[in-house]
């Protein structure tokens, strides 16, 4: 191992890519969270920039729509003084039939240093690591993983609760279609939280118990016992069959409103990755209420993505 690589290992990070939290150790996750904590202060300065990635180029290669993740990566790269290229599949030669491999190789040929990719196909970021030489960051691949979302969720929990180990975290809703749930399960269990998945049987497969989590079909049973409740969006675009009788029934059983929330712990933290279906998984008074950490999650996403771009771009072998 080269001396530089040994140094990075000692510093806690030697991964060229961030593909998912399944691949990270507990120590690597903590290293990202600690690095993000050191970057969070940058956004409070009057000049919100550090030169860490000056001269580097980050491309946002988004094949799916996004508000938070894309904007957050763009701002994160900009605060690290990198140049940013925004790629949108709808406006590109993908519409003329160009493949993912050719698209990525052409963009790499322009001299980019990091590719951030969101794609509807699970494994698309992993495939890109075999097509190009630059670091790849997964910004969400189908229903597989969304590692930076889970990292920002854990950062927010740790910031507010002071720790993650020993906390009981409920993840509620459309688990089967959720990359956010999968990444949170990997990350939270590695950091010692107890995770319970809550939802109708059609959206919470029993087989997920193999990931070291509990499963419940009753939000009312679980709510009084949890420290954090992460409400997932009902992903109408990924649901292909009738997995619950009606949206109204789903909301009655699994939606969080202030009356239901009052039966939770006094300091229960309410989270949601966004975008919210207001009135379906969350009522507006809960989404915007005192227990909600939803906008704080978004704020923290910036620091987490600064940390991720910084860490992957300085691993030996990265440009
Ligand atoms: N949470 C999340 O991934 O939001 P976007 O789809 O807006 O990026």
């Amino acid at each position: 191992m080269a001396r530089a690589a040994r140094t990075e290992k000692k510093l806690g990070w030697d991964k060229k890519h961030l593909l998912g939290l399944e691949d990270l150790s507990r120590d690597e996750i903590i290293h990202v969270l600690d690095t993000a904590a050191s970057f969070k202060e940058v956004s409070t300065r009057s000049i919100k920039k550090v030169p860490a990635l000056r001269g580097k180029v980050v491309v946002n290669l988004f094949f799916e729509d996004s508000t938070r993740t894309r904007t957050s990566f763009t701002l994160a790269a900009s605060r690290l003084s990198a140049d940013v290229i925004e790629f949108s599949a709808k406006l590109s030669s993908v519409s003329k039939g160009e493949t993912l491999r050719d698209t990525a190789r052409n963009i790499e040929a322009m001299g980019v240093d990091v590719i951030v990719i969101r794609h509807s196909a699970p494994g698309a970021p992993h495939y890109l690591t075999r097509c190009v030489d630059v670091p790849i960051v997964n910004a969400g691949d189908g229903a597989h993983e969304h590692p930076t979302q889970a990292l920002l969720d854990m950062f927010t929990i740790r910031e507010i609760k002071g720790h993650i180990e020993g906390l009981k975290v409920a993840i509620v809703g459309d688990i089967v279609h959720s990359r956010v749930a999968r990444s949170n399960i990997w990350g939270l269990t590695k950091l010692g939280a107890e995770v319970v998945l809550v939802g109708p049987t059609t959206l919470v497969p029993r087989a997920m118990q193999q990931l070291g989590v509990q499963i419940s079909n009753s939000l009312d049973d679980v709510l009084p016992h949890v420290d954090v409740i992460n409400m997932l969006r009902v992903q109408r675009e990924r649901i292909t069959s009738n997995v619950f009788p009606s949206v109204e029934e789903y909301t009655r059983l699994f939606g969080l409103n202030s009356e239901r929330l009052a039966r939770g712990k006094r300091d229960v933290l309410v989270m949601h990755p966004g975008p919210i279906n207001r009135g379906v998984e969350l009522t507006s008074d809960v989404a915007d209420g005192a227990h909600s950490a939803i906008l704080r999650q978004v704020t923290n996403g910036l620091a987490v993505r600064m940390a991720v771009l910084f860490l992957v771009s300085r691993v030996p072998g990265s440009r």
Side-chain angles (χ1 to χ4, degrees):
M1 198 189 288
R3 181 148 34 116
R6 276 200 304 273
T7 307
E8 293 302 329
K9 186 77 185 165
K10 235 186 295 169
L11 289 172
W13 187 266
D14 64 354
K15 293 249 180 330
K16 180 174 173 182
H17 311 289
L18 177 68
L19 301 176
L21 297 197
E22 182 177 4
D23 312 325
L24 298 193
S25 68
R26 175 187 177 279
D27 287 351
E28 286 168 332
I29 292 171
I30 289 173
H31 188 68
V32 180
L33 301 185
D34 290 345
T35 307
S38 68
F39 276 124
K40 191 168 173 182
E41 174 270 330
V42 173
S43 296
T44 65
R45 298 181 190 173
S46 57
I47 296 174
K48 299 175 175 57
K49 260 192 197 297
V50 288
L53 295 192
R54 190 160 55 201
K56 304 265 186 188
V57 182
V58 175
V59 61
N60 275 335
L61 199 59
F62 274 56
F63 292 83
E64 268 190 356
D65 294 341
S66 167
T67 296
R68 281 146 290 272
T69 312
R70 180 199 276 271
T71 311
S72 184
F73 269 113
T74 301
L75 207 47
S78 158
R79 293 211 169 150
L80 295 169
S81 303
D83 295 318
V84 189
I85 300 171
E86 298 292 348
F87 171 94
S88 185
K90 284 176 196 149
L91 304 174
S92 75
S93 292
V94 169
S95 63
K96 302 173 200 161
E98 191 164 37
T99 63
L100 173 59
R101 179 174 187 271
D102 282 340
T103 302
R105 281 167 60 84
N106 276 270
I107 285 172
E108 182 187 38
M110 294 178 213
V112 305
D113 298 285
V114 181
I115 293 178
V116 178
I117 177 172
R118 170 170 287 191
H119 202 286
S120 59
H126 308 66
Y127 171 64
L128 272 200
T129 64
R130 301 193 295 277
C131 302
V132 295
D133 284 334
V134 297
I136 304 295
V137 176
N138 182 359
D141 60 327
H144 178 226
E145 282 227 36
H146 192 349
T148 58
Q149 178 67 47
L151 287 164
L152 74 87
D153 292 343
M154 289 187 284
F155 184 96
T156 304
I157 294 171
R158 192 177 76 157
E159 187 177 65
I160 294 172
K161 297 286 188 187
H163 61 102
I164 289 177
E165 188 161 8
L167 291 180
K168 189 153 186 169
V169 180
I171 306 176
V172 182
D174 185 2
I175 308 292
V176 72
H177 297 100
S178 176
R179 54 196 178 205
V180 175
R182 267 176 197 75
S183 289
N184 264 282
I185 291 167
W186 288 118
L188 287 165
T189 53
K190 285 177 186 183
L191 266 52
E194 207 179 310
V195 177
V196 55
L197 308 178
V198 185
T201 47
T202 44
L203 294 179
V204 187
R206 287 270 149 206
M208 291 189 89
Q209 278 174 328
Q210 290 165 5
L211 298 176
V213 298
Q214 298 162 41
I215 289 184
S216 172
N217 303 123
S218 169
L219 179 56
D220 288 322
D221 285 353
V222 165
L223 191 54
H225 309 292
V226 296
D227 304 290
V228 179
I229 180 161
N230 195 347
M231 302 298 296
L232 301 180
R233 182 170 68 91
V234 175
Q235 300 194 45
R236 296 170 207 248
E237 73 277 19
R238 294 194 211 278
I239 293 176
T240 51
S241 57
N242 290 333
V243 290
F244 41 79
S246 69
V247 170
E248 291 72 25
E249 181 149 31
Y250 177 87
T251 300
R252 189 172 60 75
L253 293 172
F254 298 104
L256 194 56
N257 54 34
S258 50
E259 192 189 357
R260 188 166 259 151
L261 186 61
R263 299 200 285 271
K265 288 189 180 180
R266 198 173 42 82
D267 61 349
V268 66
L269 194 63
V270 176
M271 305 177 78
H272 192 299
I276 302 170
N277 292 311
R278 285 179 183 261
V280 178
E281 63 265 7
L282 273 184
T283 53
S284 281
D285 55 349
V286 174
D288 305 326
H291 291 268
S292 172
I294 294 171
L295 290 179
R296 190 141 160 195
Q297 289 172 261
V298 177
T299 302
N300 288 336
L302 184 52
V304 163
R305 288 173 178 125
M306 286 172 79
V308 168
L309 292 175
F310 173 72
L311 289 170
V312 297
S313 63
R314 69 180 193 152
V315 169
S318 303
R319 281 189 183 158

